[in-house]
């Protein structure tokens, strides 16, 4: 039988402020099971980490003013984009495409002003999304109530009773990215912990027995996109639980979403 997935929105989340423990807020509002993947909007994580900036407090550089004039953008916003970027890849037709310090290639270094309570403010990406995912994973695991998951086999003391372990819960931090070859935005994983970000099928065979030479499934990105289908941009639902992917969830934090970034040497478009 093919595996079945459920995507469950986490409702009732408050407006998140700096210093909030996102994992605890989510655990208080949903029942988590072993093997669940909790997908969280980047915006919520950034708010909790104090990554919100007031544009009136930003002093634009000369470069930012020139670019802003060319692109029809606010100079303070362009200054923030430049400060969050390692390289500007394209600046034309009102688009500012950069590579961030994290290594993401995206518009405006991932900075935007949607779903913020105050006018004149913008939200930056988390400084280290994979580290953020690890912290939230620890908060979730600690907050989950119950006796834990019963393991198969005898305990280390050779008793007849199986011994419990904490539930394995994975975390994905998701953000909307444009796509170079297709219209529209889709959610991708910018951070993850406890989830294998790639399912590498190279060397395995397809249903006809042919060897696969290039197939590697971006599991973390697909989970991020699935979760977005139950939380619209104006719903006030910043997180969702994806259930049914326990085979990809591990005890270890794993490689993180950094493993999904294409190395520059393999980038055919730069």
């Amino acid at each position: 039988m093919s595996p079945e997935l459920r995507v469950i929105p986490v409702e009732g989340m408050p407006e998140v402020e700096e210093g909030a423990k996102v994992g605890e807020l989510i655990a208080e509002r949903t029942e988590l099971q072993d093997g669940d993947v909790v997908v969280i909007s980047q915006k919520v994580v950034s708010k909790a980490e104090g990554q919100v900036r007031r544009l009136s407090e930003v002093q634009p550089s000369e470069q930012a003013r020139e670019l802003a004039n060319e692109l029809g953008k606010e100079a303070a916003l362009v200054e923030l984009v430049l400060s969050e970027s390692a390289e500007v890849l394209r600046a034309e037709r009102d688009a500012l495409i950069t590579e961030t310090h994290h290594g993401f290639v995206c518009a405006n270094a991932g900075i935007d002003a949607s779903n913020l309570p105050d006018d004149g403010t913008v939200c930056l990406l988390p400084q280290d999304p994979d580290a953020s995912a690890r912290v939230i994973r620890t908060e979730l695991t600690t907050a989950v109530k119950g006796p834990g998951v019963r393991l198969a086999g005898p305990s280390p003391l050779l008793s007849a009773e199986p011994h419990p372990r904490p539930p394995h819960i994975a975390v994905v931090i998701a953000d909307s990215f444009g796509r170079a070859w297709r219209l529209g935005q889709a959610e991708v994983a910018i951070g993850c912990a406890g989830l294998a970000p790639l399912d590498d099928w190279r060397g395995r065979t397809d249903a006809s027995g042919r060897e696969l030479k290039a197939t590697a499934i971006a599991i973390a990105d697909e989970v991020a996109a699935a979760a977005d289908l139950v939380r619209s941009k104006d719903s006030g639902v910043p997180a969702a639980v994806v259930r049914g992917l326990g085979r990809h969830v591990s005890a270890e934090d794993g490689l993180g979403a950094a493993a999904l970034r294409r190395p520059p040497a393999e980038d055919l478009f730069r």
Side-chain angles (χ1 to χ4, degrees):
M1 185 175 67
S2 298
E4 179 179 282
L5 295 184
R6 288 186 65 200
V7 185
I8 307 161
V10 178
E11 298 178 316
M13 290 279 288
E15 178 64 35
V16 172
E17 298 179 349
E18 183 174 357
K21 293 188 175 182
V22 175
E24 291 184 4
L25 292 174
I26 292 171
E28 291 169 357
R29 289 163 175 81
T30 189
E31 294 289 334
L32 294 173
Q33 299 180 10
D34 188 56
D36 281 350
V37 183
V38 178
V39 183
I40 309 165
S41 163
Q42 160 269 319
K43 188 69 59 64
V44 167
V45 178
S46 292
K47 288 178 181 177
E49 295 181 355
Q51 289 290 87
V52 176
R53 301 289 183 270
R54 191 171 295 280
L55 291 176
S56 61
E57 297 175 356
V58 176
Q59 182 62 44
S61 64
E62 185 60 32
Q63 180 187 10
R65 293 182 185 280
E66 292 177 1
L67 265 178
N69 185 57
E70 292 174 15
L71 300 173
K73 293 182 178 294
E74 191 169 349
L77 172 62
V78 174
E79 178 61 34
L80 286 175
V81 171
L82 294 177
S83 69
E84 292 294 300
S85 301
E87 182 180 359
V88 174
L89 302 180
R90 184 66 61 88
E92 60 179 80
R93 288 181 291 179
D94 81 5
L96 185 52
I97 309 299
T98 74
E99 179 179 356
T100 70
H101 295 300
H102 320 80
F104 305 133
V105 174
C106 55
N108 298 325
I111 299 172
D112 77 274
S114 64
N115 289 315
L116 293 174
D118 298 326
D119 291 337
T121 59
V122 294
C123 194
L124 282 55
L125 297 181
Q127 292 184 359
D128 185 341
D130 281 330
S132 302
R134 294 192 292 269
V135 168
I136 294 171
R137 187 187 194 210
T138 298
E139 292 171 356
L140 284 168
T141 303
T142 302
V144 168
K145 305 292 191 295
V149 178
R150 293 283 164 182
L151 300 177
S155 73
L157 299 178
L158 301 180
S159 68
E161 290 294 321
H163 58 284
R165 64 157 170 80
H168 292 160
I169 298 168
V171 169
V172 169
I173 297 174
D175 195 15
S176 297
F177 274 33
R179 299 165 298 165
W181 301 291
R182 299 178 70 84
L183 294 176
Q185 293 78 39
E187 293 286 303
V188 302
I190 64 169
C192 72
L195 181 76
L198 282 169
D199 188 12
D200 194 345
W201 278 70
R202 290 174 299 178
R204 290 191 263 178
T205 56
D206 65 11
S208 301
R210 299 183 183 86
E211 182 180 352
L212 298 169
K213 299 183 181 300
T215 302
I217 309 300
I219 296 295
D221 284 346
E222 293 191 335
V223 172
D228 193 49
L229 295 175
V230 300
R231 51 181 195 89
S232 62
K233 302 300 182 186
D234 60 355
S235 66
V237 176
V241 177
V242 179
R243 184 163 294 160
L245 288 173
R247 64 193 181 279
H248 296 295
V249 177
S250 63
E252 297 77 26
D253 287 332
L255 298 172
L260 292 166
R261 297 200 299 265
R262 188 181 299 278
E266 298 178 13
D267 188 341
L268 300 180
F269 297 90
R270 277 200 281 170

